Amino acid sequence: MAFDYDKYIRPGKLPHIWCPGCGHGIVMKGLIRAMDSLNLKKEDTCIVSGIGCASRLPGYIDCCTLHTAHGRAAAFATGVKMAKPEMNVILCGGDGDGTAIGGNHFIHACRRNINMTYIIMNNYIYGMTGGQFSPCTPTGAKASTTPYGNPDPGFDIAKLAIGAGATFVARGTAYHAAQIDKLIAEAIQHKGFSVVEILDDCPTTYGRRNKYRSVIDMMNRLKEVAVPVKAAEKMTAEQLEGKVLTGVLHKVEKPEYTEEYAKVIQRAQAAK
Amino acid sequence: MEKKLPTIEIVEKYCKGCHICVEFCPTKVLEMKGFVVAVKNLEACIKCMQCELRCPDFAIKVTP
């Protein structure tokens, strides 16, 4: 049966602003399916975002939403979660928003292990501002500010999140559309800070500068580089060269921040 | 027994003509008509729902 996306979309908001072939729409569909599979109530769910193409996502979804300052989604979301710990808080944003401008907020939210889900749509570039290179742009790739190739190595967002202390880290791609909702649903159910990185395509500002002739070329590249975690266990280091692992990469249990903070409040009140 | 055909609804107002549905349809049911997608060969549809799943623009609804 066809999935009814309309019940989760704000009336009159479509068509969205994303370019033809942009994977953000595919991720948004995945998020809506995940919300539906978990029966999240609109009034108990808050989607928080910063600035950028990917951060336009909350504007289209009919639930509590917050569109904040550039890179500060994690800071505002922490406030929402501390004020209402029972709320399901979901953050979304791009790679530039999450790891450059909001890099500090991102790693400290990971460190705190506060119960939120961060969906990072990694399209390797700053799309909305005109195609400047981001911390995730691969070495040698061209952007409007690196016309002769990017000299910097790119961030691995999943490893960054694991290193900073996130307790659930998963990665999917816009090509593997059917997997996105399962990863997001598992991340929302996980108690603690969960990061879902979705590799995405930006045909307008990344693709045409880097010899991808069409959206389909970009989608096929995602298909080629992605290797599921279980398949990677049987592969050699040479075979994994240039590949990206997908699936649930890291899952551990640690004390959750809002619960720990509630204990601090109890201790402070007992000491009076 | 006659095969029950699905209905493929295309919201032309939302379609941006990115070709994703046309390329990923395994039986080539869809085609581009100008800047928007159109149904070419409904009989070939195997109801795999790939077009609906992959459309970034919420423009295709398949009812099997």
Side-chain angles (χ1 to χ4, degrees), chain B residues 13-28:
Chain B
K13 205 172 82 178
Y14 296 170
C15 179
K16 291 175 185 157
C18 68
H19 286 246
I20 286 180
C21 56
V22 178
E23 290 292 327
F24 287 109
C25 175
T27 52
K28 305 291 166 216

mmCIF file of all heavy atoms in Angstrom, chain B residues 13-28:
data_model
loop_
_atom_site.group_PDB
_atom_site.id
_atom_site.type_symbol
_atom_site.label_atom_id
_atom_site.label_comp_id
_atom_site.label_asym_id
_atom_site.label_seq_id
_atom_site.Cartn_x
_atom_site.Cartn_y
_atom_site.Cartn_z
ATOM 1 N N LYS B 13 2.645 19.192 -10.135
ATOM 2 C CA LYS B 13 3.049 20.440 -9.474
ATOM 3 C C LYS B 13 4.327 20.239 -8.649
ATOM 4 O O LYS B 13 5.118 21.158 -8.482
ATOM 5 C CB LYS B 13 1.908 20.889 -8.558
ATOM 6 C CG LYS B 13 1.871 22.375 -8.263
ATOM 7 C CD LYS B 13 0.605 22.746 -7.519
ATOM 8 C CE LYS B 13 0.740 22.464 -6.037
ATOM 9 N NZ LYS B 13 -0.445 22.837 -5.255
ATOM 10 N N TYR B 14 4.538 19.017 -8.117
ATOM 11 C CA TYR B 14 5.700 18.751 -7.273
ATOM 12 C C TYR B 14 6.906 18.242 -8.072
ATOM 13 O O TYR B 14 8.035 18.362 -7.617
ATOM 14 C CB TYR B 14 5.368 17.694 -6.203
ATOM 15 C CG TYR B 14 4.324 18.079 -5.185
ATOM 16 C CD1 TYR B 14 3.795 17.131 -4.311
ATOM 17 C CD2 TYR B 14 3.866 19.388 -5.077
ATOM 18 C CE1 TYR B 14 2.844 17.466 -3.369
ATOM 19 C CE2 TYR B 14 2.903 19.725 -4.144
ATOM 20 C CZ TYR B 14 2.393 18.759 -3.295
ATOM 21 O OH TYR B 14 1.451 19.087 -2.364
ATOM 22 N N CYS B 15 6.677 17.616 -9.210
ATOM 23 C CA CYS B 15 7.762 16.968 -9.961
ATOM 24 C C CYS B 15 8.739 18.001 -10.497
ATOM 25 O O CYS B 15 8.347 19.009 -11.076
ATOM 26 C CB CYS B 15 7.190 16.151 -11.109
ATOM 27 S SG CYS B 15 8.472 15.340 -12.088
ATOM 28 N N LYS B 16 10.048 17.740 -10.252
ATOM 29 C CA LYS B 16 11.074 18.669 -10.739
ATOM 30 C C LYS B 16 11.881 18.057 -11.882
ATOM 31 O O LYS B 16 12.875 18.614 -12.318
ATOM 32 C CB LYS B 16 12.005 19.058 -9.588
ATOM 33 C CG LYS B 16 11.304 19.926 -8.551
ATOM 34 C CD LYS B 16 12.190 20.198 -7.364
ATOM 35 C CE LYS B 16 11.416 20.961 -6.300
ATOM 36 N NZ LYS B 16 11.996 20.794 -4.977
ATOM 37 N N GLY B 17 11.490 16.877 -12.334
ATOM 38 C CA GLY B 17 12.142 16.269 -13.491
ATOM 39 C C GLY B 17 13.567 15.823 -13.248
ATOM 40 O O GLY B 17 14.448 16.061 -14.070
ATOM 41 N N CYS B 18 13.824 15.141 -12.106
ATOM 42 C CA CYS B 18 15.200 14.744 -11.790
ATOM 43 C C CYS B 18 15.591 13.422 -12.428
ATOM 44 O O CYS B 18 16.743 13.016 -12.352
ATOM 45 C CB CYS B 18 15.393 14.668 -10.280
ATOM 46 S SG CYS B 18 14.478 13.335 -9.493
ATOM 47 N N HIS B 19 14.661 12.695 -13.038
ATOM 48 C CA HIS B 19 14.920 11.422 -13.733
ATOM 49 C C HIS B 19 15.125 10.228 -12.799
ATOM 50 O O HIS B 19 15.319 9.127 -13.288
ATOM 51 C CB HIS B 19 16.173 11.492 -14.637
ATOM 52 C CG HIS B 19 15.960 12.274 -15.882
ATOM 53 N ND1 HIS B 19 15.991 11.702 -17.128
ATOM 54 C CD2 HIS B 19 15.724 13.574 -16.086
ATOM 55 C CE1 HIS B 19 15.789 12.626 -18.045
ATOM 56 N NE2 HIS B 19 15.627 13.776 -17.433
ATOM 57 N N ILE B 20 15.135 10.415 -11.477
ATOM 58 C CA ILE B 20 15.441 9.288 -10.590
ATOM 59 C C ILE B 20 14.451 8.145 -10.804
ATOM 60 O O ILE B 20 14.841 6.998 -10.985
ATOM 61 C CB ILE B 20 15.462 9.751 -9.101
ATOM 62 C CG1 ILE B 20 16.727 10.562 -8.827
ATOM 63 C CG2 ILE B 20 15.388 8.546 -8.162
ATOM 64 C CD1 ILE B 20 16.859 11.067 -7.402
ATOM 65 N N CYS B 21 13.155 8.455 -10.844
ATOM 66 C CA CYS B 21 12.143 7.396 -10.991
ATOM 67 C C CYS B 21 12.259 6.705 -12.342
ATOM 68 O O CYS B 21 12.127 5.486 -12.444
ATOM 69 C CB CYS B 21 10.742 7.972 -10.799
ATOM 70 S SG CYS B 21 10.362 9.334 -11.897
ATOM 71 N N VAL B 22 12.548 7.481 -13.385
ATOM 72 C CA VAL B 22 12.660 6.910 -14.727
ATOM 73 C C VAL B 22 13.822 5.922 -14.780
ATOM 74 O O VAL B 22 13.709 4.826 -15.325
ATOM 75 C CB VAL B 22 12.850 8.040 -15.774
ATOM 76 C CG1 VAL B 22 13.029 7.462 -17.170
ATOM 77 C CG2 VAL B 22 11.676 8.996 -15.753
ATOM 78 N N GLU B 23 14.958 6.305 -14.183
ATOM 79 C CA GLU B 23 16.164 5.465 -14.238
ATOM 80 C C GLU B 23 16.053 4.230 -13.356
ATOM 81 O O GLU B 23 16.549 3.173 -13.719
ATOM 82 C CB GLU B 23 17.394 6.268 -13.789
ATOM 83 C CG GLU B 23 17.809 7.348 -14.760
ATOM 84 C CD GLU B 23 18.359 6.779 -16.063
ATOM 85 O OE1 GLU B 23 18.988 5.703 -16.024
ATOM 86 O OE2 GLU B 23 18.143 7.411 -17.110
ATOM 87 N N PHE B 24 15.452 4.367 -12.169
ATOM 88 C CA PHE B 24 15.449 3.250 -11.241
ATOM 89 C C PHE B 24 14.246 2.323 -11.403
ATOM 90 O O PHE B 24 14.153 1.317 -10.718
ATOM 91 C CB PHE B 24 15.567 3.747 -9.794
ATOM 92 C CG PHE B 24 16.952 4.239 -9.465
ATOM 93 C CD1 PHE B 24 17.217 5.580 -9.287
ATOM 94 C CD2 PHE B 24 18.005 3.341 -9.362
ATOM 95 C CE1 PHE B 24 18.500 6.031 -9.019
ATOM 96 C CE2 PHE B 24 19.289 3.784 -9.099
ATOM 97 C CZ PHE B 24 19.536 5.131 -8.916
ATOM 98 N N CYS B 25 13.333 2.634 -12.316
ATOM 99 C CA CYS B 25 12.216 1.712 -12.574
ATOM 100 C C CYS B 25 12.761 0.499 -13.323
ATOM 101 O O CYS B 25 13.311 0.639 -14.409
ATOM 102 C CB CYS B 25 11.139 2.383 -13.413
ATOM 103 S SG CYS B 25 9.837 1.233 -13.857
ATOM 104 N N PRO B 26 12.632 -0.719 -12.751
ATOM 105 C CA PRO B 26 13.235 -1.884 -13.401
ATOM 106 C C PRO B 26 12.548 -2.286 -14.701
ATOM 107 O O PRO B 26 13.139 -2.981 -15.515
ATOM 108 C CB PRO B 26 13.113 -2.986 -12.342
ATOM 109 C CG PRO B 26 12.055 -2.536 -11.421
ATOM 110 C CD PRO B 26 11.993 -1.050 -11.468
ATOM 111 N N THR B 27 11.298 -1.876 -14.883
ATOM 112 C CA THR B 27 10.592 -2.291 -16.102
ATOM 113 C C THR B 27 10.254 -1.114 -17.025
ATOM 114 O O THR B 27 9.460 -1.268 -17.952
ATOM 115 C CB THR B 27 9.301 -3.047 -15.739
ATOM 116 O OG1 THR B 27 8.539 -2.251 -14.831
ATOM 117 C CG2 THR B 27 9.598 -4.392 -15.095
ATOM 118 N N LYS B 28 10.862 0.013 -16.780
ATOM 119 C CA LYS B 28 10.728 1.193 -17.661
ATOM 120 C C LYS B 28 9.262 1.591 -17.905
ATOM 121 O O LYS B 28 8.798 1.700 -19.033
ATOM 122 C CB LYS B 28 11.430 0.957 -19.006
ATOM 123 C CG LYS B 28 12.890 0.560 -18.886
ATOM 124 C CD LYS B 28 13.747 1.707 -18.378
ATOM 125 C CE LYS B 28 15.112 1.227 -17.927
ATOM 126 N NZ LYS B 28 15.647 1.923 -16.784
#
